Amino acid sequence: METGWKERLKKAGWPVLSYVVISLLAAFFAIIRLAAGGKDSGTGVTLWEVVLFLIVPVLFLAAGYLGTAKCGFGKLKAYKVLLFSAVFSALLLGLWYILLELYVLLNLPAAEGGYALDLWLRKTMITYGYEFTYLGNTDMYRYTVLPLIHFVIRILYWLCYLWGNRIYISRTNRK
């Protein structure tokens, strides 16, 4: 009975640990981005943001691969990963409206990975209140569009985690 509890804790702890490590790496990437280009240079999307857009999903894929290799996960069920990611994203979406500071801390991977998309959408011109303005200057963007972008990105990242699991399982089954 004791080993079953420890095994479940180990299997549940790996996704949490990997998310924390990816969050720390995202914080490191944010520091580099801020040091290199300033807070908001207004120049649009740079190569660094595009690289981050590609690196963060690869980190989740690697976490899924390594978690399966180290912890001995079997083939994860897609519906369980989708359910977990949707609940996790919904909880963080609720934090956006309740406690924004905690949300920012827990949302670093999605915020840094989706920063290129965020910058691109902010600079999109729309008609709002009978005048042309940037989408980023509207309350609609801050309270609706940006939280939903992060919601979808987090789900996609956990699907990358599932993909890493599937890659490892297919490689071991082939051998």
Side-chain angles (χ1 to χ4, degrees):
M1 189 72 170
E2 184 71 25
T3 59
W5 180 79
K6 285 183 181 179
E7 190 67 28
R8 275 189 249 144
L9 186 64
K10 180 180 176 185
K11 286 185 178 186
W14 178 262
V16 172
L17 177 65
S18 60
Y19 190 80
V20 167
V21 169
I22 292 170
S23 293
L24 291 173
L25 286 171
F28 177 71
F29 295 148
I31 291 169
I32 290 174
R33 178 178 52 80
L34 291 173
K39 189 169 188 169
D40 187 17
S41 60
T43 61
V45 180
T46 64
L47 180 63
W48 178 250
E49 282 93 19
V50 174
V51 168
L52 282 179
F53 188 72
L54 300 173
I55 285 178
V56 178
V58 169
L59 290 173
F60 274 89
L61 186 128
Y65 187 89
L66 291 173
T68 306
K70 295 284 184 190
C71 297
F73 294 151
K75 186 176 181 180
L76 296 175
K77 305 270 189 224
Y79 79 90
K80 287 184 179 180
V81 174
L82 275 172
L83 181 64
F84 164 76
S85 64
V87 168
F88 179 69
S89 291
L91 289 172
L92 283 181
L93 185 63
L95 269 178
W96 174 275
Y97 300 106
I98 297 169
L99 193 59
L100 188 60
E101 292 81 13
L102 183 60
Y103 172 85
V104 168
L105 198 63
L106 295 175
N107 190 52
L108 280 170
E112 283 303 309
Y115 192 65
L117 180 62
D118 178 25
L119 281 178
W120 180 73
L121 284 173
R122 282 180 193 217
K123 300 298 179 186
T124 302
M125 291 291 287
I126 63 166
T127 304
Y128 186 75
Y130 300 108
E131 63 183 36
F132 286 106
T133 185
Y134 290 116
L135 180 61
N137 293 342
T138 64
D139 287 337
M140 173 184 65
Y141 184 77
R142 177 168 185 209
Y143 294 112
T144 306
V145 176
L146 187 58
L148 290 178
I149 289 171
H150 290 168
F151 180 85
V152 171
I153 286 175
R154 277 189 302 272
I155 291 175
L156 291 175
Y157 286 167
W158 285 109
L159 288 177
C160 289
Y161 187 90
L162 173 69
W163 188 21
N165 170 267
R166 298 288 171 90
I167 289 172
Y168 182 82
I169 294 296
S170 67
R171 286 191 177 170
T172 56
N173 287 344
R174 225 180 314 147
K175 289 181 181 179

